[in-house]
Amino acid sequence: MRWARVSLFALAVAMGVVAVVALRGVTLYTDYLWFADVGFPQAFTIMLISRLRLGLLGGLVFWLFVMANLWIVRGRRRQLHLVGGIMEPLRPGRLLGLAGVATLGVAVLVGLWLSTGWAVVERFRYATPFGLYDPFFRRDAGFYVFTLPFLRLVQQFVFLTLLAGIAASAAGHYLTGGFYLHGDRLTVHPRARLHLSSLLALGFGWFAWNYRLAIWELLFSPRGVAFGASYTDIHAQLPAFRLLIAVALLCAVLVLVAALRRSNRLAVAAPILLFAVSLLAGSAYPAFIQQFRVSPNEIALERPFIEYNIAFTRRGFGLYRIAESPFPATPLLTRADVEANRDTIDNIRLWDWRPMKQTFSQLQAMRLYYQFVDVDLIRYPLDGQLRPVMISARELNQTQLPAPAQTWINLHLKFTHGFGAVLSPGNTMTAEGLPVFYVRDIPPVAPRQELTIRRPEIYFGELTHNYIIVQTEEQEFNYPVGEHNAWTRYEGEAGIPIGSLFRRVAFGLRFQDYQIIVSGALLPESRIIFRRQIMERVRTIAPFLAYDSDPYLVVADGRLFWIIDAYTTSGGFPYSERHPTGINYIRNSVKVVIDAYHGETTFYVFEPEDPLIQTYGRIFPGLFAPKAAMPAYLREHVRYPADLLRIQAHMLLTYQMQDPLVFYNKEDQWAIPREVIEDRTPAMEPYYAIMRLPGSDRTEFVLMLPFTPVGKQNMVAWLAGRADAPHYGELKLFRFPRGELVLGPMQVEARINQDPVIAQDLTLWGQLGSEVHRGNLLVIPIGNSLIYLEPLYLQARENALPELRRVLLVHGKDVAMEPNLEAALARVFGGEGVRPPGPGEDATDRDLVLRAVRLYREAQARLREGDWAGYGRLIQELGEVLARMEQQDAVRPPGGS
């Protein structure tokens, strides 16, 4: 009966193992089919073989080492004196049998753990030198990026293997009578003593190796005033580590001598010696040097180490490429200056992505199951000039389907894709404060030929999380047409054929969905498409790259494409300060393009000189395409990535100080300014703009961010990342003159809040039932000066449709709030105060009434101040507004409102 229970248990375990292996095999098989479908089967096989090779080799070495040590455990069978009495020792053969099974399970776990380090091993095998050497050990930076992580991985594996070998050997010797306690005396068999001492000697050798690696890791020391090896590290910690290497090797010899002499005291003395030297030389001595040698004369001793840290950090984050220029910040602009910079003025972005997303959702979603996930700012060459364009994909969110409609057929065969995109100029609005549309509606309507979308279906996007099956008996929902629907069939290239029963079973097991196996809607030509979510897609193909958090859509060649910025990163660049994310090296080496219909995914290399991308290119031949292979209609839409600029700006706050003394005292530390958004004051985000940079003769698309000093609100500089050829990827830093007060974003916000007329208007809107939302404050360089612009949105409390109703403009001491940018410019710089309405821009009665009230109040304020010139100008503008109201009333048809 007992053997029957054991047999049943063994059978159940075997069946469980077979099931797990079978499911894992199904996953690997379907993964291979997927990689082949996307065009990268070699990448799959390289990653799989690398994992298998490393895991099997590591697991085998671990198991053989432990078993070899247990094979040595063959001593005399001696009675074991335990607390409960005397028991017979285990026979060696039985010990090996039991231990072999148990060790095999542990070896599998160790192999699985080790296989996760496949990328570390492959980077080591195909390492590319940086051509940059550290200042102390004269090793190429590639040693620290590629080789040192590999050595640490091997060391960790050796530690686990040694630890398991020592534990298994000690237990084996104990259970076979190799050593035992007799009263209070430990009796050890000579063979057991020599065996365990040999393993302990290897352990001390491991400690020596650890100290050797720690010497190289001094270049990542946080001890000094700057990241990296400090004076104490080089002149105290380094000699201490070298001493500890010698002591650890001496201890290894001592334990072997102790085994031969059967001296327990000598064996105990070895670890005590290493601990004592480690405490005194490894900890106390460096602390003493730091406290009594370095601290009293820190700047003089640490100066060269600070210089190394500054140079390597700027290299790691690409800050060394920044071209710095002075920005004079001439106090006041004239109307002539404004007109001379029309190419910048006319492209100022008035719409923020948050209210634009709400507006798109209200006006262009069409159905509850359509959703706009994000709105991105890109640029298009329209009418011979670059124009800012807001774009968002109309994706299908299956979770918004009514519950009864969320059937298997609807989720996987019918409601398969989103439809089209909405494009709107970022610099204009209608008279009602709503966006003007370049592309709108379903099917997409695009007045401009260059924005026509001939293939609007979105099978790959940000919300396409589940698998679908195409070319079935069921037609796919395409888009709504009134009370009816238009239907379609997928004509693209994506998908894995699942006509055979074997593949249907395989995918049914993978997705744990029996419908794939039994459904009668599938045809011999049916194909399954999964990993359609674009971030999951690229992370599966190239998991070794880091990806930008903001993929963006573009319309090009009549199709929809996603563009994702990808980065090569490392935390092992020597002497480089680490970002809070843990990295100290980053390059935007790759742009990934995904066809929203076909799913075709291409990795374009934009920085071929990056050693990391060169290494990955050697590991995965055929994975990357050169920048020149990217079609021109896509290349004109690449952007300087916002995540990269955020990281670089964060590091630049400190590492714009290149003088060691200034760096040490943190005399010129910067900060990211804050801004007011609704009732919050978050840190300012980098923003895209089309402008003419100082010293340039043409407008370009840039990503920019201003800086303020720590603890102060005035602005000291601004950074621009360039996105247009031939300057793509360049960084320009413009510094304001020292001693010159340049208003920072929060000072501008305060000036707006303190304006009595603006405060009255905001109160009036609140009384009329509107919620006021303030958009992003933009700092716009014009010539050698600045203007500050902030859009103001009104939203009825019962309606989530924000309207762009006012533009706040600040320059010098002037603050203007007007219905549009032209009126605000006229208020600040003179000129026509009320711009004649353009097509689709007729002012509403409400706009004119509010403007008249504001002009009257501001005129009264100027009158009380004795500003007769200002009073006269405002009264003249008030007369123009009243005349315009009269004109509109005259042309209004009878009965009109």
Side-chain angles (χ1 to χ4, degrees), residues 13-80:
V13 171
M15 292 178 63
V17 171
V18 170
V20 170
V21 172
L23 288 174
R24 183 58 182 159
V26 164
T27 301
L28 289 174
Y29 170 66
T30 52
D31 274 343
Y32 174 77
L33 293 177
W34 183 83
F35 272 88
D37 178 54
V38 298
F40 302 112
Q42 190 176 8
F44 172 81
T45 56
I46 289 171
M47 287 188 280
L48 177 62
I49 291 173
S50 180
R51 286 188 177 101
L52 287 175
R53 181 172 54 211
L54 188 59
L56 290 174
L57 179 62
L60 180 63
V61 169
F62 179 90
W63 186 79
L64 288 175
F65 181 82
V66 175
M67 292 305 297
N69 279 279
L70 289 175
W71 180 260
I72 297 173
V73 181
R74 291 174 299 170
R76 294 174 298 173
R77 296 182 66 228
R78 187 182 298 275
Q79 288 182 336
L80 304 183

Side-chain angles (χ1 to χ4, degrees), residues 90-391:
L90 292 175
R91 293 189 299 273
R94 187 176 181 186
L95 172 68
L96 285 174
L98 293 175
V101 175
T103 305
L104 184 61
V106 179
V108 169
L109 296 178
V110 171
L112 290 174
W113 164 78
L114 190 60
S115 68
T116 61
W118 69 270
V120 174
V121 175
E122 295 302 314
R123 284 194 292 265
F124 166 72
R125 291 180 62 202
Y126 295 95
T128 303
F130 279 69
L132 178 69
Y133 297 88
D134 78 84
F136 295 110
F137 308 120
R138 302 307 299 166
R139 287 189 174 270
D140 185 88
F143 171 81
Y144 300 95
V145 173
F146 302 119
T147 305
L148 191 56
F150 169 75
L151 295 177
R152 271 299 180 194
L153 179 67
V154 174
Q155 187 215 26
Q156 292 167 7
F157 169 73
V158 170
F159 173 78
L160 290 176
T161 304
L162 268 177
L163 186 64
I166 292 172
S169 299
H173 281 299
Y174 178 70
L175 293 175
T176 57
F179 66 87
Y180 58 92
L181 286 171
H182 184 70
D184 59 350
R185 182 180 176 83
L186 177 66
T187 302
V188 185
H189 190 275
R191 178 181 294 175
R193 181 188 296 274
L194 183 60
H195 180 207
L196 293 175
S197 296
S198 299
L199 291 176
L200 290 175
L202 290 176
F204 284 114
W206 180 90
F207 275 104
W209 185 15
N210 182 64
Y211 292 131
R212 185 66 188 91
L213 297 184
I215 287 176
W216 288 318
E217 289 176 343
L218 286 175
L219 296 189
F220 307 100
S221 170
R223 170 185 273 133
V225 295
F227 185 84
S230 64
Y231 180 91
T232 299
D233 290 315
I234 296 301
H235 293 88
Q237 194 70 62
L238 177 58
F241 280 148
R242 287 172 175 165
L243 175 63
L244 285 168
I245 291 173
V247 172
L249 294 176
L250 174 63
C251 290
V253 174
L254 284 178
V255 294
L256 291 176
V257 172
L260 295 175
R261 293 187 176 183
R262 302 184 184 182
S263 171
N264 291 339
R265 292 182 179 179
L266 200 57
V268 172
I272 294 176
L273 174 64
L274 182 62
F275 175 76
V277 175
S278 175
L279 184 65
L280 294 175
S283 297
Y285 176 62
F288 178 85
I289 293 297
Q290 179 69 32
Q291 182 68 31
F292 297 101
R293 176 76 176 92
V294 176
S295 294
N297 195 26
E298 194 168 47
I299 181 56
L301 296 178
E302 295 285 12
R303 185 184 185 96
F305 304 95
I306 294 174
E307 290 175 346
Y308 297 142
N309 169 253
I310 293 173
F312 278 84
T313 300
R314 289 177 63 86
R315 183 67 176 259
F317 290 94
L319 306 183
Y320 74 103
R321 301 172 175 174
I322 295 176
E324 294 194 18
S325 300
F327 192 84
T330 304
L332 295 177
L333 293 170
T334 65
R335 186 72 195 192
D337 295 324
V338 172
E339 295 303 325
N341 288 273
R342 267 291 162 189
D343 45 4
T344 296
I345 295 291
D346 291 343
N347 284 301
I348 293 177
R349 173 178 60 85
L350 303 178
W351 284 95
D352 292 346
W353 70 269
R354 297 175 186 85
M356 185 67 90
K357 178 183 172 183
Q358 286 182 272
T359 304
F360 282 177
S361 298
Q362 289 291 317
L363 300 180
Q364 287 292 305
M366 307 300 182
R367 294 291 188 273
L368 289 175
Y369 43 76
Y370 283 131
Q371 183 175 335
F372 295 99
V373 178
D374 190 19
V375 178
D376 290 295
L377 181 70
I378 57 177
R379 80 286 201 189
Y380 277 92
L382 302 174
D383 302 324
Q385 292 185 340
L386 284 181
R387 294 300 183 198
V389 176
M390 312 289 284
I391 184 171

